[in-house]
Amino acid sequence: MRTNAKPRLGLRKRALFAGAVGALGAAAALTAPAPAAAAESTLGAAAAQSGRYFGVAIASGRLNDSVYTTIANREFNSVTAENEMKIDATEPRRGQFDFTAADRVYNWAVQNGKEVRGHTLAWHSQQPDWMRNLSGGTLRQAMIDHINGVMAHYRGKIVQWDVVNEAFEDGNSGARRDSNLQRTGNDWIEVAFRTARAADPAAKLCYNDYNIENWNWAKTQAVYNMVRDFKQRGVPIDCVGFQSHFNSGSPYDSNFRTTLQSFAALGVDVAITELDVQGASPTTYANVVNDCLAVERCLGITVWGVRDTDSWRSEQTPLLFDGNGNKKAAYTSVLNALNGGTSEPPPEGGTIRGVESGRCLDVPNGSTSDGTQLQLWDCHGGTNQQWEHTAAGELRVYGDKCLDAAGTGNGARVQIYSCWGGDNQKWTLNSDGSIVGVQSGLCLDAAGSGNGTPIQIYSCWGGDNQRWTRS
């Protein structure tokens, strides 16, 4: 993954859903529940109990930010350089290596007792201009020289290397990506791995990609077949990295565990290398952790950034800490899972109750008509008060009607409408209890506290009429 280049994942074949998918907490409130009596109080220490790591992508430019470094140092026991070890950063001119930024990340990590993953050696993206202008045998040799030069600098110091990154195309073809590296010959990936093994025999050598988490997808099967072939022929591959950028266009599926188990059965380790979840659903985060814990050869998990504001998808609030460095509900679900406290994810359905009024989000008279404005009403548990949070960030009632903002300005009515996937039907559920419209950035707001009070969106100001709990 990269933060200074155009987004990808399913996003190359689907539009980027800029909204954040939220998550209602397991108990009564949208605020993060207190963790169960945990064996460990930080993510890295909790993961270490099972012999795994819980890591983070670090940007060298943020190492002067004390909030950033305090969280990173406290919580994580593994580090991946976000961009600093990529091709354009480490070899800006052919044959002239520059490890200034990469060493800053590496040195910070080891000085604070953390292991380091290397990312990434051979990739079609973030190549410097000189490499993009090469082709054929000249490019092949440049790739080999680059791998040798970077791995020589870090020989014996990096525990895992993402040797090859994103070599397969999206969609249903299962084909290799048509890149300049692919055009040097179909054996380029094999050559990269053999070069890397000779350059540093101690490092685990990984293939890393996105949209290979769903076992049923053609891209997943194509990578699986490549790894199986490599293992059969003795090509030195030790692990597969699953980036795990889960969003509306590329959602988490429960068969992810099957995927991890199937790859591990080939005789390779697996790792979750760039995890972020649109809206930071506590359920999805807990599921991913439990999937890793269920597979003996899962080495660990890396989240792609510290705070939401550090994320390459910051508008989707996908990480475990908010922009101020506060722990989100997803943090608690991860910590509990690592400590063995959550074998099953919290439920996602239930009533939504206003903090100020104590009354529930209600569809008047059980109407199912599109355009019916929502109201507050005494909580009674009826189906017109039961809201299901979906992986797409919707809040659904009756199964097929969505919480829908009829506009983007203050006072716009909030209604039910047939679900169609628009951003006006996606909501961010925050740890402070607010529910924010993705399209508008405004808060779900009750204009009063009595029965029949209409529901609208309004500029967020932190009042109790804009805070909601679940029962």
Side-chain angles (χ1 to χ4, degrees), residues 253-272:
D253 190 284
S254 59
N255 69 27
F256 185 33
R257 187 175 302 189
T258 298
T259 303
L260 296 176
Q261 291 168 333
S262 298
F263 275 86
L266 294 176
V268 293
D269 294 327
V270 293
I272 297 162

Side-chain angles (χ1 to χ4, degrees), residues 372-433:
T372 301
Q373 186 171 13
L374 300 177
Q375 63 179 10
L376 291 178
W377 200 264
D378 293 334
C379 299
H380 53 70
T383 57
N384 65 323
Q385 294 184 350
Q386 296 291 322
W387 298 91
E388 175 195 4
H389 168 245
T390 73
E394 304 156 330
L395 286 167
R396 292 192 175 212
V397 65
Y398 310 133
D400 62 351
K401 298 293 183 179
C402 275
L403 189 74
D404 178 289
T408 57
N410 281 339
R413 58 191 283 127
V414 173
Q415 58 191 11
I416 59 167
Y417 208 88
S418 298
C419 299
W420 65 280
D423 281 349
N424 68 316
Q425 294 186 344
K426 293 186 173 68
W427 304 86
T428 305
L429 279 60
N430 296 313
S431 59
D432 64 358

